[in-house]
Amino acid sequence: MKISLAATSPLRQPDFVFGVATAAFQIEGGADSRLPCIWDTFCAEPGRIKDGSDGLTACDHIHRWHDDIELIAALGVDAYRFSIAWGRVINVDGSINQAGLDFYLQLLDALQARGIKAFVTLYHWDLPQYLQDLGGWLKRDTAYKFADYADKVSRAFGDRVYSYATLNEPFCSAYLSYEAGIHAPGVQNRQQGRQVAHHLLLAHGLALKVLQHNAPQAKNGIVLNFSPCHPASKSEADVRAADMADQYHNQWYLKPLMQGCYPKLLEQLPLAEQPDIAAGDMAIIAQPLDFLGVNYYTRTVYRANNKGWFSDVPPTSPPLTDMGWEIYPQGLTEVLLDMNTRYSLPPVYITENGAAMPDALQQGKIEDSERVAYFQQHLQAVEQAIDAGMRIDGYFAWSLMDNFEWAEGYAKRFGIVYVDYTTQQRTLKASAIALRDCFAGRTHVG
Ligand code: IFM
């Protein structure tokens, strides 16, 4: 099982960055040494997490980080993308929690010592619960608190960080958390979802300014997730529904960043469902980015519903991942080229791409051939976008290791490294070996 790059592949360029990614709440554990966050609260509510699990221990990375860094280094990656738990580094009174900060400083130093670039995400969904109790992302003030957190952290990290992303997938923190109600804090209210989206984007803009000032050497940007929206049929209604879904789920986040305004669909929302936008906000949001992170997993199919809105049509036929997501690599080329046509983009990194599969450890091995094929196909999709003229500077596999997959708990395994949650033993899957060999072989053109 191999992942191979063509001799002429643009991914063989020496400055193309290959990496693996994780997020704090999904791997760290060590809940006793940080403040509780909204996901701790959510996990404690019966029925929220499919397997009833939580993030209290997760992969115990907080205690095993040193071995995990060795693992990352052994994969031969150029970069490691991870997130900072806000509630591990900042106390309730806004002061720095030095022990928490030291954890990340050690990690950053260990990465630097091994020549691995650190891609740091400041917010990957784990809002401290005390801030939620004050109103969370519904309150404008949280955006300012986020900028303050970004300020303290970026000063402390100095020049150790290669790249900062302010937010990971604000779509999830807004839509899944406040409209679909399937992520913490589990609310179902459209106006709140739109307001949270706006405050998250504002938080991004405020923090970006701080990062550009404190860490001008770093590439500072944001990570968004995209799923091409396809109509279920050629009917005018379905085509329109798919376009609305694209505006609502994809362009809602990208257009404000690129052009300083929301998609037209905003005007179609009843006034009571529109977010409050203060004068000057859009200019703060639309500051130039050093990079845009693109996360891609699958496409989504939509049909018109009887409320004049759109409904998704879940895929039923293979190939599907263990999440039930259609394997659709051409969708990655499609979203990339589509956004490249619409906007004047900064350099792009594919900051997440991967698949959950029903992996099993058999005689000490995990033969995840479907995941290997998934990576092969998606790397080719990236190549095609570059060949079509787009600038893409790197690719990160999601995820380094199996971890807490949010509302799905630990049942869904996205890792290229298998985690036995009883022993915390890590085992390279065939996909990790294939990626490692691909990284190692990429400089030998021909
Ligand atoms: O595990 C998540 C990650 O935290 C954010 N992007 C999608 C992944 C898979 O669902």
Side-chain angles (χ1 to χ4, degrees), residues 185-219:
V187 176
Q188 286 179 295
N189 179 305
R190 180 173 295 157
Q191 196 285 331
Q192 292 194 7
R194 295 299 101 180
Q195 192 62 61
V196 163
H198 183 67
H199 287 158
L200 282 160
L201 288 169
L202 178 65
H204 154 78
L206 294 168
L208 188 69
K209 219 177 236 178
V210 166
L211 295 171
Q212 306 283 33
H213 179 263
N214 292 354
Q217 79 292 341
K219 293 178 194 297

PDB file of all heavy atoms in Angstrom, residues 185-219:
ATOM      1  N   PRO A 185     -22.459  24.626  22.557  1.00  0.00           N
ATOM      2  CA  PRO A 185     -23.281  24.270  23.717  1.00  0.00           C
ATOM      3  C   PRO A 185     -24.643  23.665  23.368  1.00  0.00           C
ATOM      4  O   PRO A 185     -25.491  23.551  24.258  1.00  0.00           O
ATOM      5  CB  PRO A 185     -23.457  25.629  24.411  1.00  0.00           C
ATOM      6  CG  PRO A 185     -23.475  26.611  23.281  1.00  0.00           C
ATOM      7  CD  PRO A 185     -22.537  26.071  22.239  1.00  0.00           C
ATOM      8  N   GLY A 186     -24.859  23.265  22.128  1.00  0.00           N
ATOM      9  CA  GLY A 186     -26.073  22.515  21.792  1.00  0.00           C
ATOM     10  C   GLY A 186     -27.337  23.332  21.660  1.00  0.00           C
ATOM     11  O   GLY A 186     -28.409  22.903  22.079  1.00  0.00           O
ATOM     12  N   VAL A 187     -27.215  24.517  21.039  1.00  0.00           N
ATOM     13  CA  VAL A 187     -28.371  25.413  20.885  1.00  0.00           C
ATOM     14  C   VAL A 187     -28.953  25.245  19.474  1.00  0.00           C
ATOM     15  O   VAL A 187     -28.227  24.925  18.536  1.00  0.00           O
ATOM     16  CB  VAL A 187     -27.923  26.889  21.106  1.00  0.00           C
ATOM     17  CG1 VAL A 187     -29.061  27.870  20.854  1.00  0.00           C
ATOM     18  CG2 VAL A 187     -27.343  27.048  22.507  1.00  0.00           C
ATOM     19  N   GLN A 188     -30.251  25.466  19.331  1.00  0.00           N
ATOM     20  CA  GLN A 188     -30.877  25.450  17.997  1.00  0.00           C
ATOM     21  C   GLN A 188     -31.630  26.753  17.794  1.00  0.00           C
ATOM     22  O   GLN A 188     -32.787  26.874  18.196  1.00  0.00           O
ATOM     23  CB  GLN A 188     -31.827  24.269  17.874  1.00  0.00           C
ATOM     24  CG  GLN A 188     -31.091  22.950  17.728  1.00  0.00           C
ATOM     25  CD  GLN A 188     -32.035  21.777  17.639  1.00  0.00           C
ATOM     26  OE1 GLN A 188     -32.748  21.482  18.593  1.00  0.00           O
ATOM     27  NE2 GLN A 188     -32.052  21.124  16.493  1.00  0.00           N
ATOM     28  N   ASN A 189     -30.947  27.738  17.220  1.00  0.00           N
ATOM     29  CA  ASN A 189     -31.558  29.053  17.064  1.00  0.00           C
ATOM     30  C   ASN A 189     -30.800  29.799  15.958  1.00  0.00           C
ATOM     31  O   ASN A 189     -29.610  30.074  16.098  1.00  0.00           O
ATOM     32  CB  ASN A 189     -31.428  29.810  18.401  1.00  0.00           C
ATOM     33  CG  ASN A 189     -32.006  31.196  18.344  1.00  0.00           C
ATOM     34  OD1 ASN A 189     -31.642  32.004  17.497  1.00  0.00           O
ATOM     35  ND2 ASN A 189     -32.894  31.487  19.271  1.00  0.00           N
ATOM     36  N   ARG A 190     -31.511  30.068  14.856  1.00  0.00           N
ATOM     37  CA  ARG A 190     -30.799  30.635  13.701  1.00  0.00           C
ATOM     38  C   ARG A 190     -30.200  32.013  13.995  1.00  0.00           C
ATOM     39  O   ARG A 190     -29.066  32.294  13.616  1.00  0.00           O
ATOM     40  CB  ARG A 190     -31.715  30.723  12.482  1.00  0.00           C
ATOM     41  CG  ARG A 190     -30.948  31.302  11.301  1.00  0.00           C
ATOM     42  CD  ARG A 190     -31.716  31.282  10.012  1.00  0.00           C
ATOM     43  NE  ARG A 190     -31.982  29.937   9.582  1.00  0.00           N
ATOM     44  CZ  ARG A 190     -32.976  29.602   8.761  1.00  0.00           C
ATOM     45  NH1 ARG A 190     -33.800  30.535   8.324  1.00  0.00           N
ATOM     46  NH2 ARG A 190     -33.141  28.357   8.404  1.00  0.00           N
ATOM     47  N   GLN A 191     -30.949  32.869  14.650  1.00  0.00           N
ATOM     48  CA  GLN A 191     -30.400  34.205  14.914  1.00  0.00           C
ATOM     49  C   GLN A 191     -29.121  34.090  15.739  1.00  0.00           C
ATOM     50  O   GLN A 191     -28.123  34.751  15.464  1.00  0.00           O
ATOM     51  CB  GLN A 191     -31.433  35.085  15.641  1.00  0.00           C
ATOM     52  CG  GLN A 191     -31.106  36.588  15.605  1.00  0.00           C
ATOM     53  CD  GLN A 191     -29.974  37.031  16.533  1.00  0.00           C
ATOM     54  OE1 GLN A 191     -29.748  36.409  17.578  1.00  0.00           O
ATOM     55  NE2 GLN A 191     -29.269  38.089  16.161  1.00  0.00           N
ATOM     56  N   GLN A 192     -29.158  33.205  16.721  1.00  0.00           N
ATOM     57  CA  GLN A 192     -27.969  33.049  17.569  1.00  0.00           C
ATOM     58  C   GLN A 192     -26.792  32.501  16.758  1.00  0.00           C
ATOM     59  O   GLN A 192     -25.651  32.928  16.919  1.00  0.00           O
ATOM     60  CB  GLN A 192     -28.282  32.145  18.758  1.00  0.00           C
ATOM     61  CG  GLN A 192     -29.267  32.806  19.723  1.00  0.00           C
ATOM     62  CD  GLN A 192     -29.344  32.110  21.068  1.00  0.00           C
ATOM     63  OE1 GLN A 192     -28.580  31.198  21.362  1.00  0.00           O
ATOM     64  NE2 GLN A 192     -30.278  32.544  21.895  1.00  0.00           N
ATOM     65  N   GLY A 193     -27.099  31.568  15.877  1.00  0.00           N
ATOM     66  CA  GLY A 193     -26.033  31.008  15.034  1.00  0.00           C
ATOM     67  C   GLY A 193     -25.365  32.075  14.182  1.00  0.00           C
ATOM     68  O   GLY A 193     -24.142  32.142  14.058  1.00  0.00           O
ATOM     69  N   ARG A 194     -26.198  32.949  13.593  1.00  0.00           N
ATOM     70  CA  ARG A 194     -25.639  34.010  12.733  1.00  0.00           C
ATOM     71  C   ARG A 194     -24.873  35.030  13.573  1.00  0.00           C
ATOM     72  O   ARG A 194     -23.860  35.576  13.153  1.00  0.00           O
ATOM     73  CB  ARG A 194     -26.748  34.693  11.931  1.00  0.00           C
ATOM     74  CG  ARG A 194     -27.462  33.814  10.930  1.00  0.00           C
ATOM     75  CD  ARG A 194     -26.563  33.241   9.858  1.00  0.00           C
ATOM     76  NE  ARG A 194     -26.193  31.851  10.093  1.00  0.00           N
ATOM     77  CZ  ARG A 194     -25.408  31.119   9.299  1.00  0.00           C
ATOM     78  NH1 ARG A 194     -24.915  31.620   8.202  1.00  0.00           N
ATOM     79  NH2 ARG A 194     -25.099  29.877   9.599  1.00  0.00           N
ATOM     80  N   GLN A 195     -25.377  35.297  14.781  1.00  0.00           N
ATOM     81  CA  GLN A 195     -24.682  36.258  15.645  1.00  0.00           C
ATOM     82  C   GLN A 195     -23.327  35.707  16.087  1.00  0.00           C
ATOM     83  O   GLN A 195     -22.317  36.422  16.091  1.00  0.00           O
ATOM     84  CB  GLN A 195     -25.548  36.571  16.876  1.00  0.00           C
ATOM     85  CG  GLN A 195     -25.048  37.763  17.664  1.00  0.00           C
ATOM     86  CD  GLN A 195     -25.081  39.045  16.828  1.00  0.00           C
ATOM     87  OE1 GLN A 195     -26.137  39.469  16.388  1.00  0.00           O
ATOM     88  NE2 GLN A 195     -23.919  39.637  16.584  1.00  0.00           N
ATOM     89  N   VAL A 196     -23.330  34.432  16.433  1.00  0.00           N
ATOM     90  CA  VAL A 196     -22.077  33.790  16.853  1.00  0.00           C
ATOM     91  C   VAL A 196     -21.079  33.800  15.693  1.00  0.00           C
ATOM     92  O   VAL A 196     -19.896  34.093  15.879  1.00  0.00           O
ATOM     93  CB  VAL A 196     -22.363  32.357  17.367  1.00  0.00           C
ATOM     94  CG1 VAL A 196     -21.096  31.519  17.418  1.00  0.00           C
ATOM     95  CG2 VAL A 196     -23.009  32.416  18.748  1.00  0.00           C
ATOM     96  N   ALA A 197     -21.565  33.503  14.483  1.00  0.00           N
ATOM     97  CA  ALA A 197     -20.665  33.525  13.313  1.00  0.00           C
ATOM     98  C   ALA A 197     -20.033  34.903  13.184  1.00  0.00           C
ATOM     99  O   ALA A 197     -18.817  35.028  12.945  1.00  0.00           O
ATOM    100  CB  ALA A 197     -21.438  33.166  12.046  1.00  0.00           C
ATOM    101  N   HIS A 198     -20.852  35.936  13.358  1.00  0.00           N
ATOM    102  CA  HIS A 198     -20.312  37.296  13.215  1.00  0.00           C
ATOM    103  C   HIS A 198     -19.283  37.605  14.308  1.00  0.00           C
ATOM    104  O   HIS A 198     -18.218  38.160  14.028  1.00  0.00           O
ATOM    105  CB  HIS A 198     -21.446  38.319  13.232  1.00  0.00           C
ATOM    106  CG  HIS A 198     -20.933  39.710  13.027  1.00  0.00           C
ATOM    107  ND1 HIS A 198     -20.365  40.126  11.829  1.00  0.00           N
ATOM    108  CD2 HIS A 198     -20.834  40.777  13.874  1.00  0.00           C
ATOM    109  CE1 HIS A 198     -19.955  41.380  11.954  1.00  0.00           C
ATOM    110  NE2 HIS A 198     -20.218  41.802  13.177  1.00  0.00           N
ATOM    111  N   HIS A 199     -19.589  37.234  15.522  1.00  0.00           N
ATOM    112  CA  HIS A 199     -18.640  37.524  16.611  1.00  0.00           C
ATOM    113  C   HIS A 199     -17.341  36.721  16.454  1.00  0.00           C
ATOM    114  O   HIS A 199     -16.263  37.200  16.815  1.00  0.00           O
ATOM    115  CB  HIS A 199     -19.290  37.267  17.971  1.00  0.00           C
ATOM    116  CG  HIS A 199     -20.285  38.321  18.325  1.00  0.00           C
ATOM    117  ND1 HIS A 199     -21.298  38.114  19.228  1.00  0.00           N
ATOM    118  CD2 HIS A 199     -20.431  39.607  17.885  1.00  0.00           C
ATOM    119  CE1 HIS A 199     -22.019  39.226  19.331  1.00  0.00           C
ATOM    120  NE2 HIS A 199     -21.520  40.132  18.528  1.00  0.00           N
ATOM    121  N   LEU A 200     -17.467  35.518  15.916  1.00  0.00           N
ATOM    122  CA  LEU A 200     -16.247  34.727  15.669  1.00  0.00           C
ATOM    123  C   LEU A 200     -15.388  35.416  14.605  1.00  0.00           C
ATOM    124  O   LEU A 200     -14.161  35.521  14.754  1.00  0.00           O
ATOM    125  CB  LEU A 200     -16.621  33.317  15.201  1.00  0.00           C
ATOM    126  CG  LEU A 200     -17.072  32.366  16.310  1.00  0.00           C
ATOM    127  CD1 LEU A 200     -17.861  31.198  15.720  1.00  0.00           C
ATOM    128  CD2 LEU A 200     -15.869  31.834  17.092  1.00  0.00           C
ATOM    129  N   LEU A 201     -16.031  35.885  13.545  1.00  0.00           N
ATOM    130  CA  LEU A 201     -15.266  36.561  12.495  1.00  0.00           C
ATOM    131  C   LEU A 201     -14.645  37.855  13.023  1.00  0.00           C
ATOM    132  O   LEU A 201     -13.503  38.207  12.693  1.00  0.00           O
ATOM    133  CB  LEU A 201     -16.155  36.835  11.275  1.00  0.00           C
ATOM    134  CG  LEU A 201     -16.518  35.585  10.460  1.00  0.00           C
ATOM    135  CD1 LEU A 201     -17.610  35.897   9.432  1.00  0.00           C
ATOM    136  CD2 LEU A 201     -15.287  35.002   9.755  1.00  0.00           C
ATOM    137  N   LEU A 202     -15.401  38.540  13.873  1.00  0.00           N
ATOM    138  CA  LEU A 202     -14.865  39.753  14.495  1.00  0.00           C
ATOM    139  C   LEU A 202     -13.650  39.394  15.371  1.00  0.00           C
ATOM    140  O   LEU A 202     -12.616  40.076  15.338  1.00  0.00           O
ATOM    141  CB  LEU A 202     -15.961  40.422  15.341  1.00  0.00           C
ATOM    142  CG  LEU A 202     -15.552  41.672  16.103  1.00  0.00           C
ATOM    143  CD1 LEU A 202     -15.183  42.802  15.143  1.00  0.00           C
ATOM    144  CD2 LEU A 202     -16.695  42.132  17.037  1.00  0.00           C
ATOM    145  N   ALA A 203     -13.796  38.323  16.130  1.00  0.00           N
ATOM    146  CA  ALA A 203     -12.689  37.867  16.988  1.00  0.00           C
ATOM    147  C   ALA A 203     -11.461  37.565  16.132  1.00  0.00           C
ATOM    148  O   ALA A 203     -10.329  37.916  16.491  1.00  0.00           O
ATOM    149  CB  ALA A 203     -13.105  36.609  17.755  1.00  0.00           C
ATOM    150  N   HIS A 204     -11.697  36.930  15.010  1.00  0.00           N
ATOM    151  CA  HIS A 204     -10.590  36.645  14.089  1.00  0.00           C
ATOM    152  C   HIS A 204      -9.890  37.946  13.681  1.00  0.00           C
ATOM    153  O   HIS A 204      -8.665  38.053  13.748  1.00  0.00           O
ATOM    154  CB  HIS A 204     -11.110  35.912  12.837  1.00  0.00           C
ATOM    155  CG  HIS A 204     -10.230  36.136  11.655  1.00  0.00           C
ATOM    156  ND1 HIS A 204      -9.035  35.467  11.482  1.00  0.00           N
ATOM    157  CD2 HIS A 204     -10.330  37.019  10.614  1.00  0.00           C
ATOM    158  CE1 HIS A 204      -8.451  35.915  10.385  1.00  0.00           C
ATOM    159  NE2 HIS A 204      -9.201  36.851   9.835  1.00  0.00           N
ATOM    160  N   GLY A 205     -10.694  38.922  13.253  1.00  0.00           N
ATOM    161  CA  GLY A 205     -10.107  40.175  12.759  1.00  0.00           C
ATOM    162  C   GLY A 205      -9.321  40.899  13.844  1.00  0.00           C
ATOM    163  O   GLY A 205      -8.210  41.391  13.596  1.00  0.00           O
ATOM    164  N   LEU A 206      -9.884  40.942  15.042  1.00  0.00           N
ATOM    165  CA  LEU A 206      -9.197  41.620  16.152  1.00  0.00           C
ATOM    166  C   LEU A 206      -7.893  40.900  16.492  1.00  0.00           C
ATOM    167  O   LEU A 206      -6.854  41.531  16.722  1.00  0.00           O
ATOM    168  CB  LEU A 206     -10.111  41.654  17.386  1.00  0.00           C
ATOM    169  CG  LEU A 206     -11.388  42.506  17.271  1.00  0.00           C
ATOM    170  CD1 LEU A 206     -12.331  42.224  18.439  1.00  0.00           C
ATOM    171  CD2 LEU A 206     -11.043  44.003  17.198  1.00  0.00           C
ATOM    172  N   ALA A 207      -7.964  39.567  16.520  1.00  0.00           N
ATOM    173  CA  ALA A 207      -6.770  38.792  16.886  1.00  0.00           C
ATOM    174  C   ALA A 207      -5.722  38.856  15.775  1.00  0.00           C
ATOM    175  O   ALA A 207      -4.517  38.889  16.053  1.00  0.00           O
ATOM    176  CB  ALA A 207      -7.150  37.343  17.167  1.00  0.00           C
ATOM    177  N   LEU A 208      -6.170  38.882  14.541  1.00  0.00           N
ATOM    178  CA  LEU A 208      -5.211  38.926  13.418  1.00  0.00           C
ATOM    179  C   LEU A 208      -4.332  40.178  13.523  1.00  0.00           C
ATOM    180  O   LEU A 208      -3.114  40.125  13.334  1.00  0.00           O
ATOM    181  CB  LEU A 208      -5.961  38.905  12.079  1.00  0.00           C
ATOM    182  CG  LEU A 208      -5.069  38.749  10.852  1.00  0.00           C
ATOM    183  CD1 LEU A 208      -4.460  37.340  10.800  1.00  0.00           C
ATOM    184  CD2 LEU A 208      -5.848  39.013   9.571  1.00  0.00           C
ATOM    185  N   LYS A 209      -4.988  41.288  13.860  1.00  0.00           N
ATOM    186  CA  LYS A 209      -4.258  42.554  14.021  1.00  0.00           C
ATOM    187  C   LYS A 209      -3.167  42.397  15.078  1.00  0.00           C
ATOM    188  O   LYS A 209      -2.027  42.824  14.915  1.00  0.00           O
ATOM    189  CB  LYS A 209      -5.262  43.627  14.464  1.00  0.00           C
ATOM    190  CG  LYS A 209      -5.042  44.962  13.839  1.00  0.00           C
ATOM    191  CD  LYS A 209      -6.111  45.924  14.286  1.00  0.00           C
ATOM    192  CE  LYS A 209      -6.809  46.511  13.081  1.00  0.00           C
ATOM    193  NZ  LYS A 209      -7.887  47.411  13.386  1.00  0.00           N
ATOM    194  N   VAL A 210      -3.535  41.763  16.187  1.00  0.00           N
ATOM    195  CA  VAL A 210      -2.597  41.532  17.289  1.00  0.00           C
ATOM    196  C   VAL A 210      -1.447  40.639  16.836  1.00  0.00           C
ATOM    197  O   VAL A 210      -0.274  40.903  17.123  1.00  0.00           O
ATOM    198  CB  VAL A 210      -3.374  40.864  18.465  1.00  0.00           C
ATOM    199  CG1 VAL A 210      -2.433  40.297  19.492  1.00  0.00           C
ATOM    200  CG2 VAL A 210      -4.358  41.841  19.088  1.00  0.00           C
ATOM    201  N   LEU A 211      -1.777  39.579  16.111  1.00  0.00           N
ATOM    202  CA  LEU A 211      -0.749  38.632  15.663  1.00  0.00           C
ATOM    203  C   LEU A 211       0.208  39.289  14.671  1.00  0.00           C
ATOM    204  O   LEU A 211       1.423  39.065  14.724  1.00  0.00           O
ATOM    205  CB  LEU A 211      -1.400  37.399  15.016  1.00  0.00           C
ATOM    206  CG  LEU A 211      -2.247  36.532  15.955  1.00  0.00           C
ATOM    207  CD1 LEU A 211      -3.025  35.482  15.170  1.00  0.00           C
ATOM    208  CD2 LEU A 211      -1.378  35.857  17.016  1.00  0.00           C
ATOM    209  N   GLN A 212      -0.349  40.096  13.772  1.00  0.00           N
ATOM    210  CA  GLN A 212       0.521  40.769  12.788  1.00  0.00           C
ATOM    211  C   GLN A 212       1.505  41.682  13.511  1.00  0.00           C
ATOM    212  O   GLN A 212       2.640  41.855  13.068  1.00  0.00           O
ATOM    213  CB  GLN A 212      -0.292  41.598  11.768  1.00  0.00           C
ATOM    214  CG  GLN A 212      -1.386  40.835  11.026  1.00  0.00           C
ATOM    215  CD  GLN A 212      -0.875  39.924   9.908  1.00  0.00           C
ATOM    216  OE1 GLN A 212       0.207  39.384  10.013  1.00  0.00           O
ATOM    217  NE2 GLN A 212      -1.679  39.716   8.879  1.00  0.00           N
ATOM    218  N   HIS A 213       1.060  42.226  14.638  1.00  0.00           N
ATOM    219  CA  HIS A 213       1.927  43.108  15.411  1.00  0.00           C
ATOM    220  C   HIS A 213       2.943  42.317  16.231  1.00  0.00           C
ATOM    221  O   HIS A 213       4.141  42.595  16.212  1.00  0.00           O
ATOM    222  CB  HIS A 213       1.077  44.003  16.337  1.00  0.00           C
ATOM    223  CG  HIS A 213       1.906  44.917  17.174  1.00  0.00           C
ATOM    224  ND1 HIS A 213       2.256  44.613  18.475  1.00  0.00           N
ATOM    225  CD2 HIS A 213       2.484  46.100  16.895  1.00  0.00           C
ATOM    226  CE1 HIS A 213       3.021  45.589  18.958  1.00  0.00           C
ATOM    227  NE2 HIS A 213       3.165  46.507  18.018  1.00  0.00           N
ATOM    228  N   ASN A 214       2.467  41.312  16.951  1.00  0.00           N
ATOM    229  CA  ASN A 214       3.353  40.560  17.860  1.00  0.00           C
ATOM    230  C   ASN A 214       4.210  39.521  17.153  1.00  0.00           C
ATOM    231  O   ASN A 214       5.276  39.162  17.646  1.00  0.00           O
ATOM    232  CB  ASN A 214       2.537  39.816  18.926  1.00  0.00           C
ATOM    233  CG  ASN A 214       1.866  40.756  19.904  1.00  0.00           C
ATOM    234  OD1 ASN A 214       2.092  41.958  19.867  1.00  0.00           O
ATOM    235  ND2 ASN A 214       1.035  40.204  20.763  1.00  0.00           N
ATOM    236  N   ALA A 215       3.701  38.982  16.067  1.00  0.00           N
ATOM    237  CA  ALA A 215       4.418  37.895  15.375  1.00  0.00           C
ATOM    238  C   ALA A 215       4.455  38.184  13.877  1.00  0.00           C
ATOM    239  O   ALA A 215       3.919  37.416  13.075  1.00  0.00           O
ATOM    240  CB  ALA A 215       3.742  36.550  15.660  1.00  0.00           C
ATOM    241  N   PRO A 216       5.108  39.280  13.501  1.00  0.00           N
ATOM    242  CA  PRO A 216       5.109  39.641  12.075  1.00  0.00           C
ATOM    243  C   PRO A 216       5.841  38.622  11.216  1.00  0.00           C
ATOM    244  O   PRO A 216       5.622  38.552  10.014  1.00  0.00           O
ATOM    245  CB  PRO A 216       5.821  41.007  12.059  1.00  0.00           C
ATOM    246  CG  PRO A 216       6.590  41.064  13.327  1.00  0.00           C
ATOM    247  CD  PRO A 216       5.864  40.231  14.330  1.00  0.00           C
ATOM    248  N   GLN A 217       6.705  37.827  11.853  1.00  0.00           N
ATOM    249  CA  GLN A 217       7.449  36.811  11.084  1.00  0.00           C
ATOM    250  C   GLN A 217       6.584  35.601  10.772  1.00  0.00           C
ATOM    251  O   GLN A 217       6.914  34.798   9.884  1.00  0.00           O
ATOM    252  CB  GLN A 217       8.701  36.369  11.877  1.00  0.00           C
ATOM    253  CG  GLN A 217       8.465  35.375  13.010  1.00  0.00           C
ATOM    254  CD  GLN A 217       7.673  35.922  14.207  1.00  0.00           C
ATOM    255  OE1 GLN A 217       7.568  37.129  14.403  1.00  0.00           O
ATOM    256  NE2 GLN A 217       7.086  35.030  15.004  1.00  0.00           N
ATOM    257  N   ALA A 218       5.480  35.449  11.507  1.00  0.00           N
ATOM    258  CA  ALA A 218       4.636  34.255  11.316  1.00  0.00           C
ATOM    259  C   ALA A 218       3.653  34.479  10.179  1.00  0.00           C
ATOM    260  O   ALA A 218       3.322  35.610   9.830  1.00  0.00           O
ATOM    261  CB  ALA A 218       3.873  33.953  12.610  1.00  0.00           C
ATOM    262  N   LYS A 219       3.186  33.364   9.603  1.00  0.00           N
ATOM    263  CA  LYS A 219       2.103  33.442   8.618  1.00  0.00           C
ATOM    264  C   LYS A 219       0.813  33.376   9.418  1.00  0.00           C
ATOM    265  O   LYS A 219       0.528  32.365  10.067  1.00  0.00           O
ATOM    266  CB  LYS A 219       2.187  32.269   7.656  1.00  0.00           C
ATOM    267  CG  LYS A 219       3.412  32.292   6.764  1.00  0.00           C
ATOM    268  CD  LYS A 219       3.443  31.056   5.874  1.00  0.00           C
ATOM    269  CE  LYS A 219       4.792  30.856   5.221  1.00  0.00           C
ATOM    270  NZ  LYS A 219       5.197  31.923   4.310  1.00  0.00           N
TER     271      LYS A 219
END
